[in-house]
Amino acid sequence: MKAEIFAIGTELLMGELSDTNAAWIASRLPALGIELQWVSIIGDSLEQLTDAFTLGLQRSGLIVTTGGLGPTQDDLTREGIANALQETPVVQDEVVRELERYFQQRGQEMPSRNIKQAHLIPSAQFLPNPNGTAPGWWVERDHRFIVSMPGPPVEMHYIWEHQVEPRLRQLVENEVTVTRNVKTMGLSEAAVDEVMDEFFGHDNPYLGIYSKADGIHLRIIARARDVTAARQLMAPVEEAITVRLAPYIWGYDNETPEQAVGQLLQERGLTLATMESCTGGFLANSITEAPAQASYYKGGIVVNGSEMLLAQGVAAATLEQHGVVSQATATAMARAVRQSLHADVGIGLSGVLGPAELEGKPMGLAYVAIATATEVVERELRVPPRRITIKRRVSNTALIELRKLLAAQPAL
Amino acid sequence: MKAEIFAIGTELLMGELSDTNAAWIASRLPALGIELQWVSIIGDSLEQLTDAFTLGLQRSGLIVTTGGLGPTQDDLTREGIANALQETPVVQDEVVRELERYFQQRGQEMPSRNIKQAHLIPSAQFLPNPNGTAPGWWVERDHRFIVSMPGPPVEMHYIWEHQVEPRLRQLVENEVTVTRNVKTMGLSEAAVDEVMDEFFGHDNPYLGIYSKADGIHLRIIARARDVTAARQLMAPVEEAITVRLAPYIWGYDNETPEQAVGQLLQERGLTLATMESCTGGFLANSITEAPAQASYYKGGIVVNGSEMLLAQGVAAATLEQHGVVSQATATAMARAVRQSLHADVGIGLSGVLGPAELEGKPMGLAYVAIATATEVVERELRVPPRRITIKRRVSNTALIELRKLLAAQPAL
């Protein structure tokens, strides 16, 4: 089944496009065998909404919408659907009573404008919304479907999971789509492209290549009548990736560098400490994204300037001889923090975050060091001179290098 | 002029909608007097692209597209435009030579498929792209316009700023839209709503209210024939906000908490140090987002567990008597880091980041402390138990409280 998504709301068009609902829904469609064809962001205009639903019903079997179900004059999703289907909304008394109860429980009287939310057209059924006043709509006519849900994610997610997904699952006896994401670091996009050359350009399984802040990702997409068949279809491609790129693979699917590292540290019972300058806390903040971090992360030091480096155990001679931005200093940082926080592994990051150069060294130059009891891994990086890029790349590189080190040395 | 945006690329529809280009462009249109009506995300399908351009040219004066200009068979933006306009692309020899030079400079031979990027239709002109191989297209026919830019943000931003915006500015002698964002913290959305009641529900100037991680934002939007007139139109609303909400306002427009604090610290020549537990480096990472941070931020400590708190100067008696998660500990952290890093101001954050409770205290409970030479500001927070929400809210609250403290005490 072909589907499209409408994210509805003028605020989404006013230079503040913070819609996250479309991505959330999009990520759930492939496993249902539903093929997303379009995403549209549409303002609160009855004319535009009517046009959009009219066109959408012509070209798609399913339209999923979020937003525009509130009680105000600006909320026009219901009206747009009714117009497109040329049906007339009628008040449903039992829903009015439900709304009245909702407000009563909160010690309030129901504003009269909320009655709008109790309207229904003949082709629609309500999708109950226990987390808010706006029920969703499930519309079916001529084997075409519209699912309308409120915009607040907490309400939308609940309705999707409890009402919409089960109904769609029954509806769609279609092929499913399975995706597999393999994440590498250490080879250029062109090099990965060449290694996997013969697998590109096919339709099913499809292989895509993407350059990301945490390396080069390969994504396999396979369609088949069920998940097992789709997995079989993609198996030869995944095996080729595994065999040809083994030393560069650090994670799969939605795995992040901090999760990949965290899992290995936890399995081995090892602890980690960090000292960072050019990433300004990005590394610590990444590591603490993983819920289990308290069991292996001892803590981190965010340093600014040589005064603090000295206080944290980096030798004055190292700074004088090599400067703050140097491999020697990064390594001294890794060793110092490993020792002072009594950790098994220390990471030291030093570089130029900008906006200006430092010690005559350019913005984006950075040094990574990973210290264990017996050895040190060192890396020099040159990252494009954008603040967020520097923080992200240097931090990710450190985590992925640590992941590789742990994988290569099972005894560590 | 009415406009729409197409973000083009199947990968954007595959459950990984990471398009940021549409939002970037959308935020630049109002000041040009261009009204964004639609945003569509469209896959790499010639049929869908042809349909989209055909429809778009009927309903909009301007279509801005990103993506689909690469050299591969999947890159079909040019073909979609040519189809919709029923024009035939022809190779431009001088552009082929430019592409050859581009590859030569990188010591490579031009792959033959890149010739595709040197095609042009009669209604189109090239938009040079110094950062990549894909030139953009500027298309004009029957007073309707299509601007096609490559997808990589660094290429797109450059073309927009150097080529597209100047051309659009000449083109549009229309009314302009001016927006003003006022950011508050300390009152609930309902309370702000009530205070500003009579200004809501008008069309021009329009007042919107939004609940964000850094407080309640009020956004005024005014349309007029020029910027001065639009500013005059919004002046009474902005004045009412300023008068009625003064103690709660901490920033304007795109200002972030870290910028608001950073500016005041810099003006006063004051320095800052931080010690955080439940935010896991988020606070340090936020502070170091501001490019000038090196001049006032001494550094930060990210602590995990009481061992490190003791080592960083928090008294054992404080931890024993009050626990790690307590106002007393947060205050001791602020004081200790202020002293050890020789800063004028110290921030201490302690709380429960989760996933489980700590010392019998619930996930999301947090304590903020700001210590100066003479005083301490203390705050208890209860944040919804989501990891990223806890990090963001607690960190933002600390920065905004510090901003208020600095604003209230000009002598500090």
Side-chain angles (χ1 to χ4, degrees), chain A residues 14 16 23 37 39-41 48 55 219 280 284-285 288-291 293 297 299-300 302 304 307 342 355 387 391, chain B residues 14 16-17 37 39-41 48 55 219 280 284-285 288-291 293 297 299-300 302 304 307 342 355 387 391:
Chain A
M14 284 311 297
E16 191 177 84
Q37 302 257 73
V39 175
S40 303
I41 302 173
Q48 281 178 27
L55 177 65
R219 175 182 283 241
N285 190 43
T288 59
E289 287 296 291
Q293 55 94 19
Y297 187 45
V302 182
N304 240 346
E307 187 192 341
H342 312 294
R387 212 167 175 83
K391 285 182 163 192
Chain B
M14 284 310 298
E16 189 178 85
L17 275 142
Q37 303 256 72
V39 175
S40 302
I41 302 174
Q48 281 178 27
L55 178 66
R219 176 182 281 240
N285 191 43
T288 59
E289 288 295 291
Q293 56 94 20
Y297 186 46
V302 182
N304 240 346
E307 187 192 340
H342 313 292
R387 215 167 172 83
K391 285 183 163 191

Side-chain angles (χ1 to χ4, degrees), chain A residues 155-299:
Chain A
E155 302 179 26
M156 189 274 279
H157 294 180
Y158 187 92
I159 293 175
W160 178 269
E161 278 160 6
H162 292 82
Q163 303 279 335
V164 178
E165 206 170 274
R167 287 179 189 228
L168 289 176
R169 214 179 281 283
Q170 286 200 317
L171 204 70
V172 183
E173 294 180 18
N174 210 328
E175 56 179 15
V176 300
T177 305
V178 172
T179 69
R180 179 72 162 157
N181 218 344
V182 186
K183 302 182 173 185
T184 74
M185 185 177 255
L187 284 180
S188 71
E189 184 172 5
V192 174
D193 193 282
E194 204 179 310
V195 166
M196 296 301 299
D197 189 44
E198 79 261 35
F199 294 100
F200 292 106
H202 303 288
D203 199 43
N204 189 24
Y206 170 87
L207 182 64
I209 181 168
Y210 309 96
S211 175
K212 301 274 179 176
D214 53 7
I216 306 300
H217 296 189
L218 287 163
R219 175 182 283 241
I220 320 167
I221 303 173
R223 283 186 299 278
R225 69 184 182 285
D226 58 39
V227 171
T228 312
R231 290 240 167 88
Q232 274 170 4
L233 208 55
M234 67 164 56
V237 188
E238 190 174 348
E239 204 183 296
I241 296 174
T242 307
V243 170
R244 299 177 194 184
L245 296 169
Y248 306 101
I249 295 170
W250 62 263
Y252 295 91
D253 297 329
N254 295 320
E255 207 172 5
T256 61
E258 60 269 18
Q259 286 167 348
V261 163
Q263 204 186 327
L264 281 180
L265 289 171
Q266 228 184 337
E267 282 170 22
R268 311 263 177 97
L270 296 172
T271 57
L272 173 66
T274 60
M275 196 185 310
E276 55 189 307
S277 67
C278 62
T279 45
F282 193 98
L283 177 62
N285 190 43
S286 295
I287 293 169
T288 59
E289 287 296 291
Q293 55 94 19
S295 68
Y296 54 80
Y297 187 45
K298 291 280 216 166

Side-chain angles (χ1 to χ4, degrees), chain B residues 22-339:
Chain B
W24 192 91
I25 295 166
S27 71
R28 275 151 184 85
L29 296 179
L32 293 167
I34 296 171
E35 196 185 337
L36 183 61
Q37 303 256 72
W38 302 80
V39 175
S40 302
I41 302 174
I42 307 169
D44 300 314
S45 144
L46 185 54
E47 192 191 333
Q48 281 178 27
L49 285 167
T50 305
D51 286 356
F53 281 112
T54 306
L55 178 66
L57 285 168
Q58 284 161 26
R59 67 187 183 188
S60 303
L62 169 68
I63 303 173
V64 181
T65 81
T66 59
L69 295 179
T72 76
Q73 290 171 27
D74 280 356
D75 294 301
L76 294 164
T77 302
R78 281 176 294 260
E79 287 79 352
I81 298 172
N83 273 1
L85 295 177
Q86 298 180 294
E87 296 187 13
T88 308
V90 179
V91 178
Q92 309 294 308
D93 290 335
E94 72 277 30
V95 182
V96 176
R97 282 193 293 275
E98 248 175 62
L99 283 171
E100 283 170 348
R101 258 199 306 280
Y102 180 95
F103 281 95
Q104 244 164 30
Q105 280 166 1
R106 282 152 185 79
Q108 298 162 358
E109 209 172 313
M110 183 179 80
S112 61
R113 56 182 191 180
N114 280 73
I115 285 180
K116 188 173 148 121
Q117 300 179 313
H119 279 76
L120 209 56
I121 52 169
S123 296
Q125 301 165 36
F126 283 115
L127 296 169
N129 174 11
N131 299 317
T133 61
W137 272 20
W138 173 275
V139 182
E140 176 174 359
R141 209 170 84 180
D142 306 330
H143 306 295
R144 308 222 153 207
F145 298 85
I146 301 172
V147 174
S148 286
M149 295 176 291
V154 61
E155 302 179 27
M156 188 273 280
H157 294 180
Y158 186 92
I159 294 176
W160 178 270
E161 277 160 8
H162 292 82
Q163 303 278 334
V164 178
E165 206 170 273
R167 288 178 189 228
L168 289 177
R169 214 179 281 283
Q170 286 198 317
L171 205 70
V172 182
E173 294 180 19
N174 210 327
E175 59 177 13
V176 299
T177 303
V178 172
T179 69
R180 179 72 162 157
N181 217 344
V182 186
K183 302 180 174 186
T184 74
M185 184 176 258
L187 284 179
S188 72
E189 184 172 5
V192 173
D193 192 282
E194 203 180 309
V195 166
M196 295 301 299
D197 189 44
E198 78 261 36
F199 294 100
F200 292 106
H202 303 286
D203 199 44
N204 189 23
Y206 170 85
L207 181 64
I209 182 168
Y210 308 95
S211 175
K212 302 274 178 176
D214 53 7
I216 306 300
H217 296 189
L218 287 164
R219 176 182 281 240
I220 320 168
I221 303 173
R223 283 186 299 278
R225 67 182 185 285
D226 58 39
V227 171
T228 313
R231 290 239 167 87
Q232 275 169 2
L233 208 55
M234 67 164 58
V237 188
E238 189 175 348
E239 204 183 298
I241 296 173
T242 308
V243 171
R244 298 178 194 183
L245 295 169
Y248 306 100
I249 295 169
W250 63 262
Y252 294 90
D253 297 330
N254 295 322
E255 206 172 7
T256 60
E258 59 269 19
Q259 286 166 347
V261 162
Q263 204 186 327
L264 281 180
L265 289 171
Q266 228 184 336
E267 282 170 22
R268 309 265 177 96
L270 296 173
T271 57
L272 173 66
T274 60
M275 196 186 309
E276 55 190 306
S277 67
C278 61
T279 44
F282 193 98
L283 177 62
N285 191 43
S286 296
I287 293 168
T288 59
E289 288 295 291
Q293 56 94 20
S295 68
Y296 54 80
Y297 186 46
K298 291 280 214 165
I301 314 286
V302 182
V303 293
N304 240 346
S306 50
E307 187 192 340
M308 192 169 170
L309 281 172
L310 289 168
Q312 293 293 337
V314 174
T318 305
L319 295 179
E320 272 157 34
Q321 205 181 327
H322 303 278
V324 168
V325 181
S326 64
Q327 187 65 64
T329 296
T331 301
M333 290 164 76
R335 286 190 166 135
V337 79
R338 181 182 169 274
Q339 209 149 32

Side-chain angles (χ1 to χ4, degrees), chain A residues 4-27:
Chain A
E4 55 189 290
I5 297 175
F6 297 170
I8 297 168
T10 297
E11 74 279 11
L12 301 172
L13 293 173
M14 284 311 297
E16 191 177 84
L17 274 141
S18 50
D19 173 65
T20 57
N21 287 335
W24 192 90
I25 296 166
S27 70

